[in-house]
Amino acid sequence: MALATLVGSEAAEALLRACPVEPAVYRRDGSELDERITLPFMGAYIDHGLTDPAFTAAVKDGKAVHPGRFSRDGRMRPGKLRELFESGHTVNLRYLQTRVPYVAELCREIEAETGYTLFVSGFVTPPGAQGLRHHWDQFLAVVTQLHGRKRWPIWRPEVEFPVDEYLSSPTTWTAEMQERWNSTEPYAVFDLNPGDTLVIPRGWVHSPHCLPDDPDPSLHLTFALRERVPLDLAEALVHTALERPEFRAGIAPSRLTPETLPATLTDVLAQTVRHLATTDPADVADAIRAALFSEPAGQGHRPGHGR
């Protein structure tokens, strides 16, 4: 089981049965992930520019540098990312499943097991440093610590079940929230060591950082899993109407004006309800499942910057 590579067999079975509601740490002793993705391996990507500038970030104390500091004309500038790392910046290498074959294979297996799409980000943080500060994610974060140690203070959610299009951290964050997090004890604090995996449900606020007295840099991968929500299945059910000609017929511009649109929506709503009322879920389940599983990895995500 691919999920077991990240969290161990028992936790993987639990994650397949139910979506997690609280953060928790698991051990993945003997995982192939720890053998394949090492600090020297990730260092080679940093030193040799084996990344896409569009999916690379350097962040220090909550602030990301302009990509021009490490790239030019869509190409990485040799040595610049390493310089930023040496000056205390967390290096974030996003969409690793598009560049590292082993990670790509692991993601495909996880997608097959879960029906979720996902992307993977790698984070290399210098000793005693911090990338982003307080924020929450719009995905189920599975954080796999691979080298060094990192502390994860976590606060209860500010919003309920955020998604990319609604209640996302970048669009919802306020200075009042930040002040409250700065002055409030976290709900929990997790110190991750190599072999630990932290599962963070959507919306839980976190502000990870390396400890001042740790001599080693930290390396972790975040597997960002997009949980399926009822709206996903509702959209897929409505999409089955595509086979019916009446749903493909044109709507005249005169029915889309501010004055006529409410009546037009009423007609379409009634038409949709009739379609769904006559749709047997058993008849469309295979087609919907095939459509969900055929989505490319990372669909629907706007990956954030380094943590």
Side-chain angles (χ1 to χ4, degrees):
M1 184 186 300
L3 268 180
T5 301
L6 307 185
V7 297
S9 298
E10 184 176 346
E13 293 286 355
L15 289 174
L16 291 176
R17 288 193 301 268
C19 295
V21 296
E22 289 206 357
V25 174
Y26 305 96
R27 286 295 297 179
R28 51 173 202 284
D29 294 323
S31 169
E32 184 180 1
L33 178 68
D34 297 79
E35 299 173 1
R36 294 288 198 109
I37 310 301
T38 64
L39 187 63
F41 178 85
M42 295 298 290
Y45 274 78
I46 293 172
D47 293 332
H48 300 294
L50 305 177
T51 60
D52 184 335
F55 300 133
T56 304
V59 188
K60 182 178 181 181
D61 296 330
K63 296 181 179 179
V65 306
H66 190 280
R69 292 275 300 276
F70 55 79
S71 65
R72 180 181 293 124
D73 299 327
R75 298 173 63 88
M76 298 297 294
R77 297 171 61 190
K80 295 301 180 181
L81 207 53
R82 174 60 67 178
E83 289 179 7
L84 287 167
F85 175 79
E86 296 295 343
S87 66
H89 290 77
T90 289
V91 174
N92 177 347
L93 308 178
R94 304 191 294 265
Y95 275 85
L96 285 180
Q97 81 281 359
T98 67
R99 312 192 74 83
V100 181
Y102 167 71
V103 177
E105 294 168 4
L106 184 58
C107 286
R108 280 196 294 269
E109 293 175 7
I110 293 173
E111 289 177 340
E113 288 176 357
T114 62
Y116 296 172
T117 57
L118 70 152
F119 66 88
V120 180
S121 291
F123 300 88
V124 187
T125 302
Q130 181 169 19
L132 277 188
R133 295 190 180 276
H134 302 82
H135 66 285
W136 65 83
D137 294 319
Q138 292 67 246
F139 48 77
L140 174 63
V142 181
V143 179
T144 58
Q145 189 72 22
L146 299 165
H147 186 93
R149 184 166 65 134
K150 204 162 201 178
R151 174 162 291 178
W152 290 74
I154 296 182
W155 289 257
R156 287 187 176 276
E158 290 284 333
V159 300
E160 190 173 21
F161 302 136
V163 294
D164 285 339
E165 301 82 7
Y166 189 67
L167 298 177
S168 69
S169 183
T171 60
T172 311
W173 181 94
T174 67
E176 184 275 330
M177 290 179 184
Q178 183 65 67
E179 178 59 30
R180 181 154 31 85
W181 296 326
N182 288 341
S183 59
T184 303
E185 289 295 316
Y187 170 79
V189 177
F190 300 99
D191 286 343
L192 298 191
N193 295 288
D196 288 336
T197 294
L198 171 62
V199 174
I200 309 176
R202 281 181 290 149
W204 286 75
V205 178
H206 44 279
S207 181
H209 55 274
C210 289
L211 298 177
D213 57 347
D214 280 348
D216 293 331
S218 165
L219 164 62
H220 78 265
L221 301 187
T222 293
F223 289 75
L225 279 68
R226 180 182 180 269
E227 292 173 307
R228 295 297 179 182
V229 301
L231 184 60
D232 293 327
L233 300 186
E235 291 174 343
L237 280 168
V238 171
H239 194 70
T240 62
L242 191 62
E243 296 181 356
R244 300 192 176 190
E246 61 267 32
F247 282 91
R248 304 196 306 270
I251 297 176
S254 62
R255 299 191 64 200
L256 301 175
T257 66
E259 296 77 21
T260 61
L261 185 57
T264 303
L265 290 173
T266 299
D267 292 343
V268 172
L269 177 60
Q271 186 179 9
T272 304
V273 169
R274 288 194 298 272
H275 164 68
L276 293 176
T278 58
T279 297
D280 186 343
D283 292 339
V284 299
D286 287 345
I288 288 177
R289 180 174 170 82
L292 294 178
F293 274 64
S294 67
E295 292 180 6
Q299 180 157 323
H301 288 289
R302 290 186 291 272
H305 292 299
R307 286 194 281 268

